[in-house]
Amino acid sequence: MPASKITVTDFTNSPKVQANLKKLRETFGPNGKPFEVSDVLDAEGHQYVNLVQKGGGVLGVALVGYTYILEKMGIRFLRMAGTSAGAINTAMLTVIGKKQEEKSTRVLEAITNLNFFDLVDGHRMARWIIKRFITHKNYFRRIRIIAIAIIALFTLLLAGSMIFLILGQNNENLQMVSRPLIFALVIVMIVIAELVRYILKLLKKFKTSGYGINPGNFFYNWIEKQMRDNGVLDTTDIINKATQAIPGLHLRHDHPQGITDLTGDVTFIASELVTQNKIEFPAMAGLFRKDKDSLHPAGFVRASMSIPMFFESYFINDIPCNQPSIRQKWKEIFDEDDPPSSTRFVDGGILSNFPINIFYNSKINVPRLPSFGIDLDDSAPEDKKSSQQTGL
Protein backbone atom coordinates (compact mmCIF):
# COMPACT_ATOMS: atom_id res chain seq x y z
CA MET A 1 0.00 0.00 0.00
CA PRO A 2 1.27 3.53 -0.71
CA ALA A 3 2.38 5.56 2.27
CA SER A 4 -0.29 7.88 3.65
CA LYS A 5 0.20 11.58 2.96
CA ILE A 6 1.62 13.62 5.83
CA THR A 7 -0.53 16.56 6.89
CA VAL A 8 0.08 19.82 8.75
CA THR A 9 -1.58 18.45 11.88
CA ASP A 10 0.73 15.42 11.79
CA PHE A 11 3.49 17.91 12.51
CA THR A 12 1.73 20.42 14.76
CA ASN A 13 0.19 17.68 16.92
CA SER A 14 3.39 15.65 17.09
CA PRO A 15 4.14 14.67 20.71
CA LYS A 16 7.68 16.06 20.42
CA VAL A 17 6.45 19.41 19.05
CA GLN A 18 3.80 19.67 21.76
CA ALA A 19 6.30 18.68 24.46
CA ASN A 20 8.73 21.40 23.34
CA LEU A 21 5.99 24.04 23.28
CA LYS A 22 4.79 22.98 26.72
CA LYS A 23 8.31 23.19 28.14
CA LEU A 24 8.84 26.65 26.65
CA ARG A 25 5.51 27.94 27.92
CA GLU A 26 6.15 26.57 31.38
CA THR A 27 9.62 28.12 31.47
CA PHE A 28 8.50 31.48 30.07
CA GLY A 29 4.94 31.62 31.35
CA PRO A 30 3.09 33.66 33.96
CA ASN A 31 4.97 31.85 36.71
CA GLY A 32 8.29 31.58 34.90
CA LYS A 33 10.96 33.85 33.50
CA PRO A 34 9.97 36.88 31.42
CA PHE A 35 10.27 36.02 27.74
CA GLU A 36 12.09 39.04 26.37
CA VAL A 37 14.36 38.60 23.35
CA SER A 38 13.84 41.91 21.56
CA ASP A 39 13.09 45.56 22.30
CA VAL A 40 11.07 45.88 19.08
CA LEU A 41 7.38 45.07 19.44
CA ASP A 42 4.12 45.61 17.55
CA ALA A 43 0.65 46.60 18.74
CA GLU A 44 -0.19 42.98 19.61
CA GLY A 45 2.98 42.48 21.67
CA HIS A 46 4.88 40.32 19.16
CA GLN A 47 8.65 40.62 19.44
CA TYR A 48 10.65 41.18 16.25
CA VAL A 49 14.00 39.67 15.28
CA ASN A 50 16.10 39.44 12.14
CA LEU A 51 16.26 35.91 10.76
CA VAL A 52 18.91 34.20 8.65
CA GLN A 53 18.22 30.71 7.30
CA LYS A 54 21.05 28.46 6.24
CA GLY A 55 21.18 26.13 3.27
CA GLY A 56 21.11 22.39 3.82
CA GLY A 57 19.39 20.47 1.02
CA VAL A 58 16.48 18.30 2.15
CA LEU A 59 17.35 19.19 5.75
CA GLY A 60 15.88 22.60 4.91
CA VAL A 61 12.42 21.23 5.77
CA ALA A 62 13.51 21.52 9.41
CA LEU A 63 13.67 25.30 9.01
CA VAL A 64 9.87 25.43 8.99
CA GLY A 65 9.77 23.62 12.33
CA TYR A 66 12.13 26.19 13.81
CA THR A 67 10.11 29.18 12.62
CA TYR A 68 6.86 27.48 13.71
CA ILE A 69 8.07 27.27 17.32
CA LEU A 70 9.35 30.86 17.23
CA GLU A 71 6.00 32.11 15.95
CA LYS A 72 4.12 30.16 18.61
CA MET A 73 6.27 31.96 21.19
CA GLY A 74 5.20 35.33 19.79
CA ILE A 75 8.28 36.07 17.70
CA ARG A 76 8.00 37.68 14.27
CA PHE A 77 10.60 38.49 11.61
CA LEU A 78 11.58 41.99 10.51
CA ARG A 79 14.48 41.40 8.12
CA MET A 80 15.16 38.01 6.54
CA ALA A 81 17.97 36.45 4.55
CA GLY A 82 18.44 32.92 3.26
CA THR A 83 20.63 30.72 1.13
CA SER A 84 19.63 27.64 -0.88
CA ALA A 85 17.02 25.70 1.13
CA GLY A 86 16.98 28.65 3.52
CA ALA A 87 15.99 30.90 0.62
CA ILE A 88 12.85 28.82 0.07
CA ASN A 89 11.47 29.29 3.60
CA THR A 90 12.63 32.90 3.55
CA ALA A 91 10.63 33.51 0.37
CA MET A 92 7.54 31.79 1.74
CA LEU A 93 7.63 33.70 5.03
CA THR A 94 8.05 36.93 3.06
CA VAL A 95 5.17 36.56 0.61
CA ILE A 96 2.56 35.00 2.89
CA GLY A 97 0.23 37.32 4.77
CA LYS A 98 1.29 40.25 6.95
CA LYS A 99 4.38 40.67 9.09
CA GLN A 100 2.46 40.29 12.35
CA GLU A 101 0.74 37.04 11.34
CA GLU A 102 1.81 33.45 11.98
CA LYS A 103 2.88 31.92 8.67
CA SER A 104 4.71 28.65 9.25
CA THR A 105 1.56 26.50 9.22
CA ARG A 106 0.77 27.86 5.75
CA VAL A 107 4.32 27.08 4.66
CA LEU A 108 3.85 23.56 6.04
CA GLU A 109 0.62 23.23 4.09
CA ALA A 110 2.38 24.15 0.84
CA ILE A 111 5.20 21.69 1.57
CA THR A 112 2.90 18.79 2.52
CA ASN A 113 1.05 19.27 -0.77
CA LEU A 114 4.34 18.98 -2.66
CA ASN A 115 5.57 15.68 -4.06
CA PHE A 116 9.30 16.11 -3.47
CA PHE A 117 10.21 13.65 -6.21
CA ASP A 118 8.64 16.07 -8.72
CA LEU A 119 11.74 18.22 -8.12
CA VAL A 120 13.64 15.52 -10.00
CA ASP A 121 12.53 16.81 -13.40
CA GLY A 122 15.54 15.77 -15.47
CA HIS A 123 16.04 13.11 -18.12
CA ARG A 124 13.91 9.98 -17.68
CA MET A 125 17.03 7.87 -17.16
CA ALA A 126 18.21 10.22 -14.39
CA ARG A 127 14.77 10.06 -12.77
CA TRP A 128 14.80 6.28 -13.00
CA ILE A 129 18.24 6.01 -11.37
CA ILE A 130 17.50 8.54 -8.61
CA LYS A 131 14.16 6.93 -7.78
CA ARG A 132 15.75 3.52 -7.40
CA PHE A 133 18.63 4.98 -5.43
CA ILE A 134 16.09 6.41 -2.98
CA THR A 135 13.83 3.35 -2.77
CA HIS A 136 16.36 0.51 -3.02
CA LYS A 137 19.02 -0.21 -0.47
CA ASN A 138 22.59 -0.57 -1.81
CA TYR A 139 21.37 0.41 -5.29
CA PHE A 140 24.75 1.56 -6.62
CA ARG A 141 26.31 -1.64 -5.33
CA ARG A 142 23.84 -3.55 -7.48
CA ILE A 143 24.70 -1.36 -10.48
CA ARG A 144 28.39 -2.10 -9.95
CA ILE A 145 27.70 -5.84 -9.77
CA ILE A 146 25.69 -5.69 -13.01
CA ALA A 147 28.45 -3.71 -14.74
CA ILE A 148 31.08 -6.20 -13.60
CA ALA A 149 28.86 -9.06 -14.82
CA ILE A 150 28.49 -7.47 -18.28
CA ILE A 151 32.25 -6.93 -18.57
CA ALA A 152 32.91 -10.49 -17.39
CA LEU A 153 30.39 -11.87 -19.90
CA PHE A 154 31.98 -9.85 -22.70
CA THR A 155 35.45 -11.10 -21.71
CA LEU A 156 34.33 -14.74 -21.58
CA LEU A 157 32.50 -14.53 -24.90
CA LEU A 158 35.46 -12.83 -26.57
CA ALA A 159 37.93 -15.39 -25.21
CA GLY A 160 35.63 -18.33 -26.03
CA SER A 161 34.99 -17.11 -29.58
CA MET A 162 38.70 -16.69 -30.29
CA ILE A 163 39.57 -20.08 -28.82
CA PHE A 164 36.89 -21.94 -30.78
CA LEU A 165 37.73 -20.05 -33.98
CA ILE A 166 41.38 -21.03 -33.72
CA LEU A 167 40.69 -24.63 -32.72
CA GLY A 168 37.85 -25.00 -35.18
CA GLN A 169 39.83 -24.18 -38.32
CA ASN A 170 40.02 -27.90 -39.14
CA ASN A 171 37.05 -29.05 -37.05
CA GLU A 172 33.53 -28.40 -38.27
CA ASN A 173 31.94 -29.27 -34.90
CA LEU A 174 34.02 -26.65 -33.11
CA GLN A 175 33.10 -24.14 -35.83
CA MET A 176 29.43 -24.83 -35.11
CA VAL A 177 30.04 -24.03 -31.43
CA SER A 178 31.88 -20.78 -32.24
CA ARG A 179 29.01 -19.33 -34.29
CA PRO A 180 26.50 -18.81 -31.40
CA LEU A 181 29.36 -17.52 -29.25
CA ILE A 182 30.23 -14.92 -31.90
CA PHE A 183 26.55 -14.00 -32.27
CA ALA A 184 26.20 -13.54 -28.49
CA LEU A 185 29.44 -11.51 -28.47
CA VAL A 186 28.08 -9.18 -31.17
CA ILE A 187 24.84 -8.68 -29.17
CA VAL A 188 26.78 -7.84 -25.99
CA MET A 189 29.04 -5.46 -27.96
CA ILE A 190 25.98 -3.68 -29.38
CA VAL A 191 24.49 -3.33 -25.88
CA ILE A 192 27.77 -1.97 -24.49
CA ALA A 193 28.14 0.44 -27.43
CA GLU A 194 24.60 1.74 -26.95
CA LEU A 195 25.19 2.22 -23.22
CA VAL A 196 28.42 4.11 -23.87
CA ARG A 197 26.74 6.24 -26.56
CA TYR A 198 23.85 7.03 -24.22
CA ILE A 199 26.16 7.92 -21.32
CA LEU A 200 28.25 10.19 -23.57
CA LYS A 201 25.05 11.88 -24.76
CA LEU A 202 23.97 12.48 -21.17
CA LEU A 203 27.43 13.81 -20.25
CA LYS A 204 27.32 16.23 -23.17
CA LYS A 205 23.88 17.44 -22.12
CA PHE A 206 25.14 17.58 -18.52
CA LYS A 207 27.95 19.92 -19.59
CA THR A 208 25.89 22.20 -21.82
CA SER A 209 23.13 22.56 -19.21
CA GLY A 210 25.39 23.73 -16.43
CA TYR A 211 26.48 20.43 -14.91
CA GLY A 212 23.15 19.55 -13.37
CA ILE A 213 20.92 16.48 -13.56
CA ASN A 214 17.64 18.38 -13.26
CA PRO A 215 16.67 21.64 -15.02
CA GLY A 216 14.76 22.87 -11.96
CA ASN A 217 11.77 23.99 -14.02
CA PHE A 218 9.29 22.27 -11.71
CA PHE A 219 10.71 24.05 -8.68
CA TYR A 220 10.68 27.42 -10.45
CA ASN A 221 7.03 26.94 -11.43
CA TRP A 222 6.15 25.79 -7.92
CA ILE A 223 7.72 28.76 -6.11
CA GLU A 224 6.34 31.13 -8.75
CA LYS A 225 2.83 29.77 -8.04
CA GLN A 226 3.30 30.18 -4.29
CA MET A 227 4.24 33.80 -4.90
CA ARG A 228 1.39 34.40 -7.34
CA ASP A 229 -1.16 32.88 -4.94
CA ASN A 230 0.02 35.42 -2.35
CA GLY A 231 -0.13 38.44 -4.64
CA VAL A 232 3.54 38.59 -5.63
CA LEU A 233 3.86 38.95 -9.40
CA ASP A 234 7.15 40.81 -9.75
CA THR A 235 10.20 42.09 -7.88
CA THR A 236 8.46 45.25 -6.71
CA ASP A 237 5.74 43.11 -5.12
CA ILE A 238 8.18 41.04 -3.07
CA ILE A 239 10.04 44.18 -1.97
CA ASN A 240 6.73 45.70 -0.89
CA LYS A 241 5.85 42.54 1.02
CA ALA A 242 9.21 42.55 2.80
CA THR A 243 9.02 46.26 3.69
CA GLN A 244 5.32 46.43 4.59
CA ALA A 245 4.40 48.60 7.58
CA ILE A 246 3.83 46.90 10.92
CA PRO A 247 0.89 48.28 12.94
CA GLY A 248 1.92 49.80 16.25
CA LEU A 249 5.65 49.14 15.90
CA HIS A 250 7.41 50.54 18.95
CA LEU A 251 10.38 50.08 21.28
CA ARG A 252 10.26 48.54 24.72
CA HIS A 253 12.78 51.14 25.92
CA ASP A 254 13.93 54.51 24.63
CA HIS A 255 16.70 54.33 22.06
CA PRO A 256 18.73 57.12 20.39
CA GLN A 257 17.81 55.89 16.87
CA GLY A 258 14.14 55.29 17.65
CA ILE A 259 12.23 53.20 15.10
CA THR A 260 12.54 55.43 12.03
CA ASP A 261 14.99 53.11 10.26
CA LEU A 262 13.42 49.84 11.41
CA THR A 263 12.07 48.50 8.14
CA GLY A 264 11.95 44.98 6.83
CA ASP A 265 13.72 43.59 3.80
CA VAL A 266 14.55 40.24 2.24
CA THR A 267 17.76 38.86 0.72
CA PHE A 268 18.44 35.71 -1.30
CA ILE A 269 22.10 34.76 -1.75
CA ALA A 270 23.35 33.27 -5.04
CA SER A 271 26.86 32.54 -6.36
CA GLU A 272 27.62 33.96 -9.81
CA LEU A 273 30.31 31.98 -11.63
CA VAL A 274 31.14 34.17 -14.63
CA THR A 275 32.35 37.10 -12.52
CA GLN A 276 32.87 35.02 -9.35
CA ASN A 277 30.75 37.27 -7.16
CA LYS A 278 28.22 36.81 -4.37
CA ILE A 279 24.89 38.23 -5.51
CA GLU A 280 22.24 39.53 -3.13
CA PHE A 281 18.76 39.49 -4.65
CA PRO A 282 16.61 41.54 -5.04
CA ALA A 283 18.96 44.39 -3.99
CA MET A 284 21.34 43.66 -6.90
CA ALA A 285 18.71 43.02 -9.57
CA GLY A 286 19.82 46.27 -11.22
CA LEU A 287 23.05 44.53 -12.26
CA PHE A 288 21.11 42.46 -14.77
CA ARG A 289 18.13 44.54 -15.92
CA LYS A 290 17.35 48.26 -16.08
CA ASP A 291 13.78 47.38 -15.08
CA LYS A 292 14.05 45.08 -12.08
CA ASP A 293 10.47 43.88 -12.60
CA SER A 294 11.55 42.10 -15.79
CA LEU A 295 13.19 39.56 -13.45
CA HIS A 296 10.72 37.43 -11.52
CA PRO A 297 11.61 36.86 -7.84
CA ALA A 298 11.06 33.12 -8.33
CA GLY A 299 14.30 33.26 -10.31
CA PHE A 300 16.13 34.71 -7.31
CA VAL A 301 15.16 31.70 -5.19
CA ARG A 302 15.91 29.29 -8.05
CA ALA A 303 19.36 30.85 -8.46
CA SER A 304 20.05 30.57 -4.73
CA MET A 305 19.21 26.86 -4.53
CA SER A 306 20.98 25.68 -7.70
CA ILE A 307 22.62 22.78 -5.89
CA PRO A 308 25.61 21.69 -8.02
CA MET A 309 25.16 18.34 -9.77
CA PHE A 310 21.52 17.98 -8.71
CA PHE A 311 20.19 21.15 -10.39
CA GLU A 312 21.35 22.86 -13.55
CA SER A 313 22.88 26.30 -13.15
CA TYR A 314 20.45 29.19 -13.35
CA PHE A 315 21.23 31.64 -16.14
CA ILE A 316 20.36 35.28 -16.72
CA ASN A 317 21.07 35.97 -20.37
CA ASP A 318 20.81 38.98 -22.66
CA ILE A 319 22.02 41.42 -20.02
CA PRO A 320 22.08 44.93 -21.58
CA CYS A 321 25.69 45.29 -20.45
CA ASN A 322 26.32 48.41 -22.56
CA GLN A 323 23.58 50.46 -20.95
CA PRO A 324 25.05 53.23 -18.75
CA SER A 325 22.89 52.34 -15.71
CA ILE A 326 23.95 48.67 -15.87
CA ARG A 327 27.63 49.54 -16.26
CA GLN A 328 27.39 52.00 -13.39
CA LYS A 329 25.87 49.36 -11.10
CA TRP A 330 28.65 46.86 -11.85
CA LYS A 331 31.24 49.56 -11.25
CA GLU A 332 29.70 50.68 -7.96
CA ILE A 333 29.17 47.24 -6.47
CA PHE A 334 32.02 45.14 -7.85
CA ASP A 335 34.36 47.70 -9.46
CA GLU A 336 33.73 45.84 -12.72
CA ASP A 337 34.41 47.86 -15.89
CA ASP A 338 33.23 45.22 -18.36
CA PRO A 339 29.89 43.70 -17.26
CA PRO A 340 29.01 40.26 -18.68
CA SER A 341 26.20 39.77 -21.17
CA SER A 342 25.29 36.44 -19.56
CA THR A 343 25.59 35.17 -15.99
CA ARG A 344 25.45 31.72 -14.46
CA PHE A 345 24.32 31.05 -10.90
CA VAL A 346 24.88 28.12 -8.60
CA ASP A 347 24.00 27.46 -4.97
CA GLY A 348 24.55 30.52 -2.80
CA GLY A 349 26.05 28.30 -0.13
CA ILE A 350 29.27 28.08 -2.13
CA LEU A 351 30.08 31.68 -1.17
CA SER A 352 27.79 32.47 1.77
CA ASN A 353 25.74 29.69 3.31
CA PHE A 354 24.94 31.62 6.49
CA PRO A 355 24.61 35.31 5.45
CA ILE A 356 24.11 36.81 8.90
CA ASN A 357 26.43 39.68 7.94
CA ILE A 358 23.50 41.11 5.94
CA PHE A 359 22.08 42.46 9.20
CA TYR A 360 25.19 44.23 10.45
CA ASN A 361 24.77 47.99 10.83
CA SER A 362 27.90 49.84 11.93
CA LYS A 363 25.83 52.93 12.81
CA ILE A 364 23.99 51.16 15.63
CA ASN A 365 25.99 51.00 18.87
CA VAL A 366 23.21 49.64 21.07
CA PRO A 367 21.15 46.91 19.33
CA ARG A 368 17.37 47.11 19.38
CA LEU A 369 16.64 43.58 18.16
CA PRO A 370 18.70 40.39 17.85
CA SER A 371 19.53 38.35 14.77
CA PHE A 372 18.48 34.71 14.96
CA GLY A 373 20.25 32.14 12.80
CA ILE A 374 19.23 28.57 12.05
CA ASP A 375 22.15 26.16 11.77
CA LEU A 376 20.98 22.84 10.30
CA ASP A 377 22.52 19.69 11.74
CA ASP A 378 21.31 16.11 11.23
CA SER A 379 23.16 14.62 14.20
CA ALA A 380 21.15 13.47 17.22
CA PRO A 381 21.42 15.50 20.46
CA GLU A 382 22.98 12.53 22.24
CA ASP A 383 25.67 12.32 19.53
CA LYS A 384 26.54 15.99 20.06
CA LYS A 385 26.77 15.51 23.80
CA SER A 386 29.07 12.52 23.34
CA SER A 387 31.29 14.50 20.93
CA GLN A 388 31.59 17.39 23.39
CA GLN A 389 32.55 15.05 26.22
CA THR A 390 35.24 13.32 24.19
CA GLY A 391 36.59 16.59 22.84
CA LEU A 392 35.75 15.75 19.21
Side-chain angles (χ1 to χ4, degrees), residues 123 125-126 129 194-214 309 312 344:
H123 193 277
M125 177 60 73
I129 292 173
E194 282 299 305
L195 284 173
V196 170
R197 185 189 66 82
Y198 192 67
I199 290 171
L200 290 175
K201 180 181 177 182
L202 290 180
L203 288 174
K204 183 179 179 181
K205 183 179 183 300
F206 187 65
K207 180 179 179 181
T208 56
S209 62
Y211 296 99
I213 297 172
N214 302 293
M309 302 293 289
E312 294 178 4
R344 172 183 168 188

Side-chain angles (χ1 to χ4, degrees), residues 73-110:
M73 293 303 294
I75 294 176
R76 300 294 184 266
F77 314 115
L78 186 68
R79 304 179 64 196
M80 287 188 285
T83 299
S84 194
I88 301 171
N89 198 35
T90 295
M92 296 292 285
L93 291 173
T94 299
V95 303
I96 291 173
K98 300 183 182 298
K99 285 275 190 182
Q100 65 271 24
E101 296 175 352
E102 290 186 20
K103 306 179 181 186
S104 294
T105 51
R106 292 174 64 182
V107 178
L108 280 168
E109 184 178 1

Side-chain angles (χ1 to χ4, degrees), residues 74-217:
I75 294 176
R76 300 294 184 266
F77 314 115
L78 186 68
R79 304 179 64 196
M80 287 188 285
T83 299
S84 194
I88 301 171
N89 198 35
T90 295
M92 296 292 285
L93 291 173
T94 299
V95 303
I96 291 173
K98 300 183 182 298
K99 285 275 190 182
Q100 65 271 24
E101 296 175 352
E102 290 186 20
K103 306 179 181 186
S104 294
T105 51
R106 292 174 64 182
V107 178
L108 280 168
E109 184 178 1
I111 291 175
T112 54
N113 288 329
L114 173 65
N115 180 354
F116 276 76
F117 193 72
D118 287 339
L119 298 175
V120 185
D121 59 351
H123 193 277
R124 60 181 179 275
M125 177 60 73
R127 289 177 59 86
W128 184 81
I129 292 173
I130 292 173
K131 188 170 186 176
R132 275 149 187 78
F133 172 70
I134 295 171
T135 57
H136 293 75
K137 189 177 181 180
N138 298 324
Y139 180 68
F140 282 116
R141 183 182 175 186
R142 297 181 187 181
I143 293 292
R144 185 177 62 192
I145 292 172
I146 292 172
I148 292 172
I150 291 174
I151 294 171
L153 178 61
F154 171 76
T155 304
L156 288 173
L157 288 173
L158 179 62
S161 299
M162 292 180 66
I163 291 170
F164 280 101
L165 276 174
I166 294 171
L167 296 178
Q169 290 180 356
N170 298 315
N171 188 319
E172 189 172 337
N173 291 330
L174 291 178
Q175 288 180 3
M176 293 291 292
V177 174
S178 68
R179 288 170 187 167
L181 287 176
I182 293 172
F183 179 77
L185 177 63
V186 171
I187 296 297
V188 172
M189 289 176 66
I190 292 172
V191 170
I192 292 174
E194 282 299 305
L195 284 173
V196 170
R197 185 189 66 82
Y198 192 67
I199 290 171
L200 290 175
K201 180 181 177 182
L202 290 180
L203 288 174
K204 183 179 179 181
K205 183 179 183 300
F206 187 65
K207 180 179 179 181
T208 56
S209 62
Y211 296 99
I213 297 172
N214 302 293
N217 295 331

Side-chain angles (χ1 to χ4, degrees), residues 35-51:
F35 186 62
E36 295 183 3
V37 298
S38 173
D39 286 341
V40 181
L41 301 94
D42 64 18
E44 299 175 24
H46 301 126
Q47 302 184 73
Y48 283 78
V49 303
N50 297 327
L51 180 69

Side-chain angles (χ1 to χ4, degrees), residues 3 64 70 86 144 149 169 173 180 233 248 282 292 303 330 338 348 365 382:
V64 190
L70 290 180
R144 185 177 62 192
Q169 290 180 356
N173 291 330
L233 304 178
K292 64 179 181 296
W330 280 93
D338 187 22
N365 295 320
E382 56 270 21

